[in-house]
Amino acid sequence: MFATYLIGLREGLEATLVVSILVAFLVKSQRRDRLPQVWAGVGLAVVLSVLFGWLIEYTSTSLLARSEDRELFEAVTSVAAVVFVTWMIFWMRKAARTIAGELRGKLTEALAVGSLAVAGMSFLAVIREGLETALIFYSAAQGAAGDSGPLLALIGGIVTAVVIGVLLYASALRINLSTFFTWTGALLILVAAGILKYGVHDFQEADVLPGLNDLAFDITSVLDPNTWYAALLAGMFNITATPSVLEMVAWAAYAVPVLFLFLRKPSPAGKPTAPAATPTPPTTAPAGEAAPATGVAPAGEAAGSDIDRPASAPQHA
C-alpha cells in the first residue's frame, strides 16, 4: 500500500502542478473563458487513464486463460513500468526548471488556434501522467491480487497530491518541491527495482528465464514472511526471504547504478573550459564602448526554477 500511495502522490502532484500552471496562466491572462476547455481535456485524460488501467487488468484476468500467458504478460508490463518510472524520474529532474515556461508557451499557441487546441494541449499534458500511473500501479500491485488496499492507497495518494496542489496554488502552503521530488524519486527507484525483480520472477515462472529454484540466499529465520515487517518490505520494495540468483542480480544491476546517477549532482553547465596554462590575454574595449559580454552569470546567481519555488508558477504566469 505504501508503494502505490507513493506512486499516486508523485504522479498526482506532477499532474496537479501542470494543471495549476495552465489555470493560473489563463486567469492572469484574463482568459477565464478557456478554463472549461482545460478542464474538459483534463477530464478526458483521467477517464482514458482509468480505462487503460481497467484494460490491463481485464487482459490479465479474463483474456489470458493459461497461467504461463498471465505470468508472461505480468512480466512484460513490469519491465515496461520500470522503463516508464526511470524515464519519468530523470525527465522531471531535467525539465523542472523549464516546464512552466514551456507550458505557457504551448498554451499561448493553443489559444491562438482555438478551443479544441486548448483542450488538446491540456489533455496531452495530463494523459502521460495518467497512463504511467495506471501501468506502474498494475505492476506494483500484482502481489496483492484480490485486495482493494493498493487501489485505496493509490486513490489516497492522488487525493493528497490534489490537496497539496490546491494549497500551493492558493499560496497557503510552501514546500521545497525540489527536495520532495528528490526523495520520492529515490524511493520510486527502489520500488521500480522491486517491480523489475518481480518481473524477472514472472519470466522464470513462464519458463522464459532459467533458475527459478536457484536461490541467492534463504533468510527465512530472520525475515519470517508471516511477520508484519516482512510483508511491509515485500509490499514496498519486493524484498523477500528466498529470492533467486537472477532476481537479485536484476535488482542490484538496476537499483545501484540508477540510484547513483539520480542522486549525483549534475555538473554545472556553461562553465569555461580554457586550459590554465594558456590564459587568454585581456581584451580592452575602445574608449566609449562597453566591454564584450562573457556570457557568465554574476557570482552567486543561478537559473530560476518555477517548480523549486512553491506556488511560484501561478504568481509568474
Side-chain angles (χ1 to χ4, degrees):
M1 290 178 64
F2 173 81
T4 54
Y5 177 85
L6 178 64
I7 292 168
L9 179 63
R10 167 80 185 216
E11 296 283 346
L13 189 55
E14 287 185 15
T16 301
L17 289 174
V18 167
V19 174
S20 68
I21 291 171
L22 299 178
V23 171
F25 180 80
L26 292 176
V27 171
K28 294 294 180 66
S29 303
Q30 304 298 321
R31 297 303 303 271
R32 291 176 180 267
D33 58 307
R34 295 301 188 188
L35 286 177
Q37 286 79 41
V38 170
W39 293 119
V42 171
L44 180 59
V46 171
V47 170
L48 288 182
S49 299
V50 173
L51 288 177
F52 178 67
W54 172 83
L55 180 60
I56 296 176
E57 180 66 22
Y58 179 76
T59 300
S60 175
T61 57
S62 301
L63 298 184
L64 301 177
R66 297 195 312 156
S67 60
E68 293 84 358
D69 294 336
R70 287 195 296 270
E71 297 292 347
L72 185 58
F73 178 78
E74 292 176 358
V76 172
T77 55
S78 294
V79 173
V82 171
V83 172
F84 274 113
V85 168
T86 309
W87 175 82
M88 175 264 295
I89 290 172
F90 283 94
W91 176 85
M92 175 54 75
R93 189 181 69 166
K94 180 180 178 181
R97 294 184 178 274
T98 60
I99 186 173
E102 291 178 358
L103 285 172
R104 294 178 191 128
K106 291 179 180 178
L107 187 54
T108 300
E109 296 174 358
L111 286 170
V113 175
S115 300
L116 288 179
V118 174
M121 187 263 167
S122 59
F123 169 80
L124 293 175
V126 176
I127 189 64
R128 184 190 70 245
E129 308 293 344
L131 296 181
E132 286 178 1
T133 302
L135 181 60
I136 298 168
F137 166 73
Y138 171 79
S139 300
Q142 288 181 51
D147 186 2
S148 61
L151 178 59
L152 295 177
L154 177 76
I155 295 173
I158 294 174
V159 171
T160 304
V162 171
V163 171
I164 292 175
V166 171
L167 292 176
L168 289 175
Y169 179 86
S171 300
L173 177 67
R174 301 184 68 84
I175 62 175
N176 189 322
L177 289 176
S178 177
T179 302
F180 171 86
F181 282 122
T182 298
W183 279 100
T184 56
L187 288 174
L188 275 180
I189 288 173
L190 294 178
V191 171
I195 292 175
L196 180 62
K197 177 174 173 286
Y198 196 95
V200 170
H201 182 80
D202 282 337
F203 275 127
Q204 290 178 317
E205 288 194 335
D207 292 329
V208 175
L209 292 176
L212 178 62
N213 298 317
D214 297 333
L215 300 183
F217 48 78
D218 186 348
I219 55 172
T220 307
S221 58
V222 178
L223 192 64
D224 186 352
N226 298 317
T227 59
W228 65 268
Y229 53 86
L232 182 66
L233 290 175
M236 289 170 57
F237 309 121
N238 196 23
I239 295 177
T240 57
T242 56
S244 69
V245 174
L246 199 55
E247 287 178 50
M248 290 308 303
V249 168
W251 190 96
Y254 173 84
V256 174
V258 174
L259 266 178
F260 172 78
L261 292 174
F262 178 73
L263 296 176
R264 184 184 63 175
K265 292 183 178 180
S267 57
K271 208 170 184 180
T273 56
T278 57
T280 304
T283 303
T284 304
E289 295 186 11
T294 62
V296 180
E301 293 188 7
S305 170
D306 286 322
I307 280 188
D308 289 347
R309 290 189 292 274
S312 62
Q315 294 167 5
H316 287 181

